């Protein structure tokens, strides 16, 4: 592992943490009472929480991002820790279901629409939409939604940086035997 990989990994952690902080702070601002009511209602019904976790993960294509958002919601006091467990279980099921569906569709296709299902491919568009919302929105709620999108994009790119920084370790025989 080179010094560049170590720096890239540290920068990935910084991006990830900054994205998580931005996402959770602005999600708290833009959540309002409506999201709080929906999540509190879902907390009371495990089956609904499981389904909600599946849907959220299938939409954003990342159970890690779903878990990070839940940590932000617990941190902000919108949700209770115990209420997030079924949503996290649903997120993991959603990842599995999504992978199964995409394996049937052939995710390795050269088709542009299929390749846009990967988070690193659609995240720049979310970041662009976030910048447009921040710069042009008249209401603070819309600007907060733009900041949520940018936070999510930074979080995804932080995860991508960390992944690419440690990928050379897979080819190292000592690490593989460890």
């Amino acid at each position: 592992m080179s010094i560049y990989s170590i720096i890239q990994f540290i920068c990935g952690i910084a991006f990830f943490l900054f994205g998580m902080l931005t996402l959770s702070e602005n999600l708290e601002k833009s959540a309002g009472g409506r999201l709080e009511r929906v999540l509190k209602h879902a907390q009371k019904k495990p089956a609904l929480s499981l389904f909600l976790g599946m849907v959220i993960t299938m939409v954003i294509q990342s159970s890690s991002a779903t878990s990070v958002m839940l940590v932000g919601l617990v941190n902000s006091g919108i949700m209770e820790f115990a209420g997030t467990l079924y949503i996290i279980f649903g997120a993991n099921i959603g990842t599995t279901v999504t992978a199964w569906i995409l394996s049937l569709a052939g995710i390795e296709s050269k088709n542009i629409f299929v390749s846009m299902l990967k988070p690193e491919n659609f995240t720049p568009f979310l970041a662009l939409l976030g910048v447009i919302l921040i710069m042009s929105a008249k209401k603070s709620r819309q600007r907060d939604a733009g900041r949520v999108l940018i936070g999510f994009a930074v979080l995804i790119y932080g995860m991508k940086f960390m992944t690419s920084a440690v990928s050379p370790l897979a080819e190292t025989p000592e690490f593989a035997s460890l």
Side-chain angles (χ1 to χ4, degrees):
M1 191 166 187
S2 69
I3 189 72
Y4 175 74
S5 296
I6 293 170
I7 292 171
Q8 186 179 15
F9 184 74
I10 292 170
C11 289
I13 291 173
F15 271 51
F16 180 81
L17 292 174
F18 178 74
M20 185 173 72
L21 179 69
T22 304
L23 183 69
S24 64
E25 283 178 355
N26 290 290
L27 199 56
E28 180 182 349
K29 282 183 193 176
S30 65
R34 187 175 62 219
L35 179 62
E36 187 175 341
R37 284 191 305 274
V38 168
L39 290 172
K40 285 190 186 267
H41 178 71
Q43 279 180 241
K44 296 175 186 172
K45 299 180 179 179
L48 182 61
S49 294
L50 200 70
F51 180 73
L52 184 65
M54 284 176 52
V55 170
I56 290 171
T57 301
M58 291 171 80
V59 169
I60 66 173
Q61 295 289 303
S62 174
S63 61
S64 299
T66 303
S67 298
V68 168
M69 285 191 297
L70 290 171
V71 167
L73 291 171
V74 169
N75 188 34
S76 66
I78 292 175
M79 293 187 74
E80 297 173 13
F81 173 72
T84 63
L85 292 178
Y86 286 104
I87 298 174
I88 291 172
F89 293 152
N92 292 323
I93 293 170
T95 298
T96 306
V97 169
T98 303
W100 183 72
I101 290 170
L102 293 177
S103 71
L104 292 177
I107 191 66
E108 298 302 323
S109 171
K110 299 288 184 192
N111 186 336
I112 185 103
F113 297 110
V114 175
S115 69
M116 286 304 289
L117 293 173
K118 296 180 181 180
E120 63 266 11
N121 293 341
F122 70 78
T123 302
F125 296 107
L126 292 179
L128 179 64
L129 179 61
V131 169
I132 290 170
L133 281 173
I134 289 170
M135 294 178 72
S136 65
K138 305 236 185 289
K139 296 180 181 177
S140 65
R141 223 177 171 153
Q142 292 171 337
R143 286 191 298 273
D144 290 338
R147 289 184 185 104
V148 165
L149 292 175
I150 288 175
F152 178 73
V154 171
L155 183 142
I156 291 295
Y157 273 98
M159 289 171 41
K160 185 177 177 186
F161 286 159
M162 287 187 286
T163 302
S164 65
V166 296
S167 64
L169 289 177
E171 298 164 3
T172 307
E174 296 84 18
F175 187 77
S177 67
L178 180 66

